[in-house]
Amino acid sequence: MSRDPFVQKGASANLPLHFDGPPQKFCFVLLPKVTMLALAAAIEPLRIANQLTKKQLYTWQTMTEDGAPITCSNGLKITPDEALAPLDVDTVGFVCAGVEPEKSASPGVLNWLRREYRFGRSLGGICTGAFALAHAGLLKDRKFTLHWENQTGFTEAFPTLEPSPNIFETDGRITTCGGGNTSIDMMLALIERRHGPELAIMVADMCIHMRSGTKSPQRSAHSVAIGSRNPALLRAITLMEQELEEPLSSPDLCDRLNISRRQLERLFKKYLGQGPMAYYLDLRISRAFTYLNETNMTVTEIAAATGFANTSHLSRQFRSKYGDSPHSFRKAWS
């Protein structure tokens, strides 16, 4: 008697479940430099759900464009089950991406996404998969998300699309998540919708995963990151992040915040170990780093978008922080 490859033998945890319907099928399309953590975190809840119930509630397969092995962002290779092919009627397709997402989706993958969506399939993006969905034209007027680190570059590439800060989003036939462990939360929500909360809770326990709500943000709040809930400090940081293209002067910051310059200096020195304008400059240089990594913007465009008078000014500050000029930094990774 052959074993079911989708139903593994567990230890003691189990959940009797009455379900005689067909399994729900998932297809994971792997793009170059996909993040393995996000992919595994999407598949494992499905495996565990089958294991707990001793039923084939879910099946899954992996595809690459040509059926050849794909190299993940950590350098490990994954051999897919097959090359891109039409999905069965009830299959959910997820495009899985990772590093350098703006370059990873080929015309063949984009055409596949458009065709499958046109034929009524439910699709999604894991980690930075939203780049491929956006290039395919599937995110207009949709709620969606992607990894927080890539959201700045995404909005530069797609200025009419605004990603959500939440860990995952479902809007109609499009479901997306920020990658990492958020893939678990997304899959638990899909499991709960199909088979109820008890199974979702047990799967979460098997993953040793504390569930987050749909509206949970991907990043820690500023108050957690800096170890302070001081409202004036938090408002100052938020205002700086909103005004990177045309940086505010110290007097303008104080006027907008209704705070004295001395008080603002004291807050930043106490909690962040540097003055407010030094912190502000660091934010702008870090945003320039993001644009160099995640967009095709020229250095001139990046300088303008981060409030530097010219490329020379940006280059001096960038070299001081990262030890290289923007041009050299980009060339080294090309």
Side-chain angles (χ1 to χ4, degrees):
M1 182 174 126
S2 61
R3 284 189 177 276
D4 185 336
F6 295 103
V7 182
Q8 303 294 321
K9 181 180 179 182
S12 60
N14 69 90
L15 177 67
L17 182 74
H18 178 71
F19 181 77
D20 296 323
Q24 184 175 21
K25 302 175 183 178
F26 286 88
C27 174
F28 299 94
V29 177
L30 313 182
L31 301 187
K33 298 187 178 180
V34 58
T35 50
M36 185 175 283
L37 172 61
L39 174 64
I43 294 175
E44 283 300 293
L46 306 178
R47 179 193 68 78
I48 293 169
N50 288 353
Q51 176 183 310
L52 287 170
T53 60
K54 298 180 176 59
K55 293 178 179 290
Q56 195 184 89
L57 302 180
Y58 299 101
T59 64
W60 52 90
Q61 64 181 141
T62 55
M63 293 181 182
T64 59
E65 182 176 11
D66 56 3
I70 204 82
T71 302
C72 299
S73 59
N74 60 11
L76 298 180
K77 291 184 182 294
I78 294 178
T79 300
D81 295 308
E82 60 178 302
L84 282 182
L87 298 179
D88 291 340
V89 173
D90 58 348
T91 300
V92 179
F94 278 102
V95 60
C96 309
V99 178
E100 299 179 19
E102 74 285 356
K103 305 173 184 175
S104 62
S106 67
V109 170
L110 300 182
N111 288 334
W112 181 87
L113 287 168
R114 295 183 188 109
R115 182 181 66 246
E116 295 303 318
Y117 192 76
R118 189 168 63 248
F119 289 165
R121 308 294 177 259
S122 293
L123 298 174
I126 290 175
C127 192
T128 56
F131 271 89
L133 296 174
H135 279 300
L138 303 182
L139 294 183
K140 184 179 179 182
D141 299 324
R142 295 281 186 189
K143 281 186 176 181
F144 68 95
T145 193
L146 69 155
H147 195 285
W148 64 265
E149 185 185 28
N150 304 93
Q151 291 196 5
T152 298
F154 181 94
T155 54
E156 286 294 324
F158 304 99
T160 62
L161 300 177
E162 184 177 355
S164 160
N166 297 332
I167 59 175
F168 70 93
E169 293 283 359
T170 296
D171 189 345
R173 289 189 285 123
I174 298 291
T175 299
T176 51
C177 72
N181 284 334
T182 71
S183 297
I184 299 178
D185 291 284
M186 178 179 69
M187 286 305 187
L188 290 174
L190 297 179
I191 290 170
E192 180 170 338
R193 186 184 308 164
R194 189 173 178 90
H195 294 293
E198 188 175 3
L199 178 57
I201 290 169
M202 285 197 69
V203 172
D205 286 346
M206 288 288 288
C207 293
I208 315 180
H209 178 76
M210 187 66 67
R211 292 184 71 180
S212 299
T214 309
K215 302 304 179 185
S216 297
Q218 293 183 33
R219 300 184 68 181
S220 299
H222 285 312
S223 58
V224 175
I226 66 177
S228 171
R229 293 183 179 275
N230 185 285
L233 180 62
L234 298 177
R235 284 190 291 114
I237 293 172
T238 300
L239 181 57
M240 289 175 177
E241 290 179 336
Q242 293 170 345
E243 302 289 348
L244 294 180
E245 188 170 348
E246 298 183 8
L248 299 171
S249 66
S250 183
D252 287 339
L253 267 174
C254 294
D255 287 343
R256 294 274 291 270
L257 296 167
N258 193 26
I259 189 174
S260 72
R261 183 170 180 173
R262 184 176 178 180
Q263 185 179 359
L264 187 65
E265 290 277 351
R266 188 169 62 249
L267 284 172
F268 272 81
K269 289 286 180 63
K270 178 179 179 180
Y271 292 106
L272 298 170
Q274 60 184 151
M277 301 315 289
Y279 181 87
Y280 204 174
L281 177 61
D282 193 61
L283 281 179
R284 292 160 55 208
I285 301 170
S286 296
R287 179 63 58 87
F289 181 95
T290 298
Y291 286 150
L292 283 167
N293 257 344
E294 302 292 340
T295 75
N296 294 319
M297 295 168 67
T298 66
V299 175
T300 300
E301 291 170 334
I302 292 171
T306 50
F308 290 95
N310 48 53
T311 56
S312 296
H313 187 201
L314 170 60
S315 293
R316 286 195 302 273
Q317 299 296 340
F318 192 90
R319 186 185 294 276
S320 176
K321 181 175 175 64
Y322 295 110
D324 211 345
S325 71
H327 289 287
S328 298
F329 175 84
R330 175 170 276 175
K331 186 177 180 180
W333 288 97
S334 62

